Amino acid sequence: MSAPAQALRSLHHGRAAGDPLVLPGPWDAASARVFADAGFAALATPSAGVAASLGYADGQGMPPAEMFAAIARITRAVDVPVTSDVEAGYGLPAGELVERLLEAGAAGCNLEDSDPASRALKDPRRQADWLAEVRAAAGDALVINARIDTFLRGDRTTAAAVERGRLYAEAGADCVYPIMAPPAQLADLAEQIGLPLNALCKAGGPAPAELGVFGATRVTFGGGLHAQTMSGLADLAASMRP
């Protein structure tokens, strides 16, 4: 087991309600250093934030090589574990995806179960089979966060998310991420799926500690922190105009 993955995996367990693992989302080496220096135990790169920082729209044709290079710059900049959102895997075979993540220094990955281009949900059993291939290729060297997109793309019922989550748990996922799930459903989802649960923290929504009380084991921000930073930069730019 790699030391970064072991450290990251251990951070998911033994957490009290109201004390989730908070994973800020750096988009480059400089932002990663800011979050690490602030004392966060681990970081989670967002595909949207990294893509935007390099001039691409999320899920719209960013070359995988640029994403892995960005992840590598971030992991080199900090001494804490970094898990990375690599969308749906960019069409790479499981072995190659794992190899490139490990070469970039990632301790974990976020893998979604809808197609970024078509936005269509993938067949859950095929997705589970693919996740099992990723697990087999990675062994214990990556913490796999299996994103469940039913609340985002399709059936918004607990049952639909639980069906996928249980399949992904059987495939070897370490945690599940029912993105956009209502906070009131988090505890039920976590209990029925049986894995640590990742929740999205959005501006104007419940704070990370509140999401922990609702049932989240870990909290991420997607591209939100990058967007808030860019909004602040836009305000600064406006104030500089003569």
Side-chain angles (χ1 to χ4, degrees):
M1 181 185 296
S2 72
Q6 182 177 11
L8 179 61
R9 189 172 283 110
S10 68
L11 290 169
H12 290 72
H13 298 283
R15 307 201 72 89
D19 180 33
L21 173 61
V22 179
L23 297 168
W27 51 91
D28 59 14
S31 58
R33 290 194 189 101
V34 169
F35 293 130
D37 289 347
F40 289 96
L43 307 175
T45 67
S47 64
V50 174
S53 74
L54 296 174
Y56 297 95
D58 189 31
Q60 299 298 318
M62 177 174 175
E66 291 198 43
M67 177 61 77
F68 291 113
I71 294 168
R73 289 191 292 271
I74 288 168
T75 62
R76 286 196 301 265
V78 296
D79 294 326
V80 298
V82 177
T83 181
S84 295
D85 180 355
V86 287
E87 301 183 33
Y90 306 116
L92 298 173
E96 183 179 350
L97 175 64
V98 168
E99 181 180 3
R100 295 179 77 167
L101 281 164
L102 295 178
E103 286 178 349
C109 60
N110 184 85
L111 296 167
E112 60 198 57
D113 66 353
S114 62
D115 182 86
S118 70
R119 302 181 181 272
L121 283 165
K122 297 183 177 182
D123 177 83
R125 294 191 178 276
R126 290 184 180 178
Q127 178 71 0
D129 289 343
W130 183 68
L131 289 173
E133 292 178 13
V134 175
R135 170 54 71 212
D140 290 328
L142 288 174
V143 175
I144 298 175
N145 184 36
R147 203 176 93 175
I148 299 169
D149 286 2
T150 54
F151 291 97
L152 182 66
R153 309 284 192 216
D155 188 342
R156 295 179 57 82
T157 64
T158 296
V162 168
E163 177 189 8
R164 288 174 177 262
R166 286 177 173 171
L167 288 170
Y168 303 162
E170 292 172 4
D174 293 280
C175 49
V176 291
Y177 179 16
I179 187 169
M180 304 301 289
Q185 294 187 36
L186 298 181
D188 192 23
L189 288 166
E191 181 178 0
Q192 292 196 54
I193 294 171
L195 287 180
L197 186 142
N198 188 130
L200 175 67
C201 184
K202 301 183 295 180
E210 293 177 279
L211 290 170
V213 172
F214 276 116
T217 297
R218 71 183 229 174
V219 174
T220 53
F221 301 83
L225 300 180
H226 175 266
Q228 290 178 54
T229 300
M230 291 300 101
S231 178
L233 184 59
D235 291 342
L236 175 62
S239 72
M240 294 166 59
R241 290 199 303 265

